[in-house]
Amino acid sequence: MSSLTTALAIAQSALRTTGKQTSIVSRNISEAQNPDYTRRIAAVSSTAPGARSISVQRAVDALLFKNNLNAQSAFQAQQTLYDGMERLGLAVNGVENVSSAATMLGKLQEALQTYSSAPSNRNLGQNAVEAARDLVRSLNDGTNAIQSFRGDMDSQIGIAVNQLNDLLGQFKDANTEIVKGTHSGSDVSDALDRRDALLKQISSLVSVSTFTRTDNDMVIMTADGATLFETVPRSVTFNPNAIYSATTSGNAVYVDGVPLAAGAGGNTNAGGKIAGLLQLRDEVGGTMQSQLDEIARGLITAFAETDPSGTLAPQAGLFTWSGGPAIPASGTLVSGLAGTISLNAAFDSAAGGDPSLLRDGGANGVAYKHNTTGAASYSDLLFSYSKNLDAPMAFDPAASNGTTLSLSSFSTNAISWFEGMRSNASTAADAKAALATQTAESLSNLTGVNVDTEMSMLLDLENAYEASARIIQTINDMLRALLDAVR
């Protein structure tokens, strides 16, 4: 009788255990399509005389999860940079650089050469002035496009910072639940999944590192070492600028009082979307603006009027600016100059000016006139302007485009700088996307749900359940027979 009772208890324990295992496997199958679900494992332990208990474990790989976070963070920054550069390039330079300052400068050079071959043709003079107007428009519009872009990046930074603070708040709730549950011995698998999912989203905004303390309490740091979360979220702050101009400096994002570093380079060293946005706003947009400003300064200098005797100070000629008629200092960046450069009204027939001043000189008075006899075939001044465009001049190193080269070379180098950086960004985005995909797949293979495997396990559990049920039925029949015999 005692043996039958023990056997019945063992069979009932096996039945309960199988039922719990079946529940866990069924949950795995139902969550198979959830990318944030980690496969549950039913760990069975036995005690005499055959009783069994179940503990739920998660299929985790901490190192691979960390590598995937880093890969996803790097990819988000790189893709943000590439997408932003694609948009900025079209806005400033147009499709295949058709509206770039370099293209417009090339057209002005062609117009000057054509005019110098037939200086008596007033229409050719007008064409040259119109080419100069198109170049001015390219610089003005380019500046507006860059500053609009920087303002939009600033706005997106603000949105991303708000998202980060919200995610940190949700992370606190999940982490608190995990710490309390772990301390009390409860199953915290769902909370751990939720915390991991939040950590993925956080790492897409900013590169992170983590470590875990007692009771599964997690601390989050930025890659720069600033604390993002320790028991409670740390403050992430940003003050956006409503309007951007060429002289506007973007504000930093602060994590617990420490400024978040922007990315650098085409293959950016940034991690997370926010660092990529900072790089677009400051490095890419700022450098591109500086290059346009230096092109504008070079134009004012190259087309400055000089007096034939060389005793008077050069004065702004075909191109002028707010500081005209003086010429900007050599080799010194004037922030925002590309947005304020204008066509000198003295040459503009639409404003009552005379395009022939480009051939003769004298926009700043008779002392600056070179063709004093009014000869229709005079072309020396036109040749000198063309020569100035190809002559070395000093450029500010802040433009990141060389310090001593011709204006023509500087303008084409600006295109090369941008296109080279965009090409590097594209190549790096593909490589980082592949790494992110590879680590995600590897992590899924180790911690995700394989439906075929789970279904096979479910079938085995069903067979085990049926076997336990049959044992119980057999014992029940034996007990009944025993009792009947006693009676």
Side-chain angles (χ1 to χ4, degrees):
M1 182 72 173
S2 175
S3 297
L4 288 176
T5 303
T6 300
L8 180 61
I10 293 173
Q12 289 174 331
S13 175
L15 199 64
R16 288 192 297 270
T17 299
T18 302
K20 291 179 181 178
Q21 287 177 294
T22 301
S23 176
I24 292 171
V25 173
S26 298
R27 173 76 187 283
N28 286 341
I29 294 172
S30 68
E31 296 283 357
Q33 301 305 314
N34 182 355
D36 296 322
Y37 178 81
T38 300
R39 177 174 175 266
R40 308 292 195 259
I41 302 171
V44 182
S45 58
S46 301
T47 58
R52 295 184 177 185
S53 61
I54 291 286
S55 62
V56 181
Q57 300 176 357
R58 297 167 71 241
V60 297
D61 189 314
L63 179 59
L64 190 54
F65 181 70
K66 176 183 177 181
N67 290 340
N68 181 240
L69 287 181
N70 292 337
Q72 292 288 350
S73 184
F75 168 67
Q76 286 294 331
Q78 191 67 59
Q79 191 64 47
T80 297
L81 176 65
Y82 174 68
D83 290 344
M85 293 195 71
E86 281 281 284
R87 174 183 160 191
L88 183 60
L90 286 174
V92 177
N93 297 326
V95 178
E96 296 184 354
N97 302 313
V98 67
S99 59
S100 68
T103 299
M104 296 299 109
L105 180 57
K107 291 183 177 181
L108 175 58
Q109 286 181 290
E110 292 177 5
L112 285 174
Q113 291 171 0
T114 303
Y115 188 26
S116 64
S117 65
S120 62
N121 190 327
R122 183 177 178 85
N123 289 334
L124 295 180
Q126 182 65 43
N127 290 342
V129 172
E130 289 303 319
R133 191 195 310 277
D134 289 341
L135 178 51
V136 166
R137 185 181 297 112
S138 173
L139 293 169
N140 294 165
D141 292 348
T143 294
N144 292 335
I146 291 171
Q147 299 314 316
S148 176
F149 175 82
R150 294 182 69 216
D152 186 51
M153 295 301 100
D154 199 83
S155 177
Q156 290 190 40
I157 292 169
I159 293 171
V161 167
N162 291 337
Q163 290 175 340
L164 179 57
N165 282 316
D166 181 62
L167 289 170
L168 289 172
Q170 296 179 55
F171 188 92
K172 175 184 180 298
D173 296 338
N175 191 70
T176 300
E177 181 180 344
I178 290 167
V179 172
K180 290 181 178 179
T182 302
H183 186 72
S184 64
S186 303
D187 179 15
V188 293
S189 297
D190 287 346
L192 286 167
D193 280 353
R194 189 163 64 253
R195 188 175 72 177
D196 284 352
L198 290 167
L199 192 57
K200 291 178 185 178
Q201 295 179 65
I202 290 169
S203 69
S204 72
L205 295 173
V206 59
S207 183
V208 299
S209 62
T210 65
F211 64 90
T212 305
R213 303 186 294 196
T214 306
D215 291 333
N216 274 324
D217 183 22
M218 182 173 284
V219 177
I220 310 177
M221 314 283 287
T222 68
D224 297 329
T227 303
L228 264 177
F229 179 90
E230 185 178 11
T231 307
V232 296
R234 298 301 174 88
S235 176
V236 183
T237 58
F238 173 68
N239 293 319
N241 289 311
I243 299 175
Y244 264 82
S245 69
T247 58
T248 303
S249 296
N251 294 320
V253 174
Y254 290 93
V255 177
D256 200 24
V258 179
L260 185 68
N267 182 3
T268 182
N269 59 1
K273 181 178 181 180
I274 294 176
L277 291 170
L278 288 168
Q279 182 178 357
L280 284 168
R281 186 194 67 183
D282 299 333
E283 180 195 0
V284 179
T287 300
M288 204 171 186
Q289 181 64 60
S290 295
Q291 290 173 354
L292 291 186
D293 290 339
E294 281 293 81
I295 291 173
R297 186 183 62 79
L299 285 170
I300 295 170
T301 301
F303 285 88
E305 284 199 333
T306 58
D307 73 295
S309 66
T311 59
L312 301 176
Q315 302 285 290
L318 181 61
F319 301 98
T320 190
W321 62 306
S322 58
I327 304 301
S330 175
T332 303
L333 178 69
V334 179
S335 295
L337 182 56
T340 60
I341 189 174
S342 60
L343 182 67
N344 194 329
F347 297 82
D348 187 2
S349 58
D354 183 4
S356 65
L357 292 175
L358 186 59
R359 179 195 66 185
D360 301 333
N364 291 281
V366 294
Y368 288 85
K369 188 170 184 177
H370 284 247
N371 186 16
T372 55
T373 63
S377 60
Y378 182 80
S379 59
D380 290 355
L381 202 53
L382 295 173
F383 282 124
S384 70
Y385 292 142
S386 294
K387 184 178 179 180
N388 289 345
L389 294 175
D390 292 322
M393 63 172 62
F395 290 97
D396 197 310
S400 303
N401 200 26
T403 56
T404 305
L405 63 166
S406 71
L407 181 58
S408 297
S409 296
F410 185 91
S411 66
T412 55
N413 284 358
I415 295 292
S416 298
W417 171 84
F418 185 84
E419 292 299 333
M421 188 171 183
R422 180 166 60 176
S423 177
N424 289 339
S426 175
T427 302
D430 290 341
K432 292 176 182 179
L435 180 60
T437 300
Q438 180 182 359
T439 56
E441 289 178 350
S442 298
L443 184 63
S444 178
N445 290 338
L446 287 173
T447 65
V449 176
N450 184 309
V451 175
D452 292 338
T453 300
E454 299 298 319
M455 291 298 293
S456 177
M457 291 179 61
L458 190 60
L459 182 61
D460 291 341
L461 289 170
E462 288 177 355
N463 293 333
Y465 189 92
E466 290 177 2
S468 297
R470 284 195 299 269
I471 291 173
I472 291 174
Q473 183 62 48
T474 300
I475 295 173
N476 185 57
D477 291 343
M478 294 173 67
L479 285 171
R480 183 180 296 110
L482 180 61
L483 290 174
D484 290 344
V486 171
R487 286 198 293 268

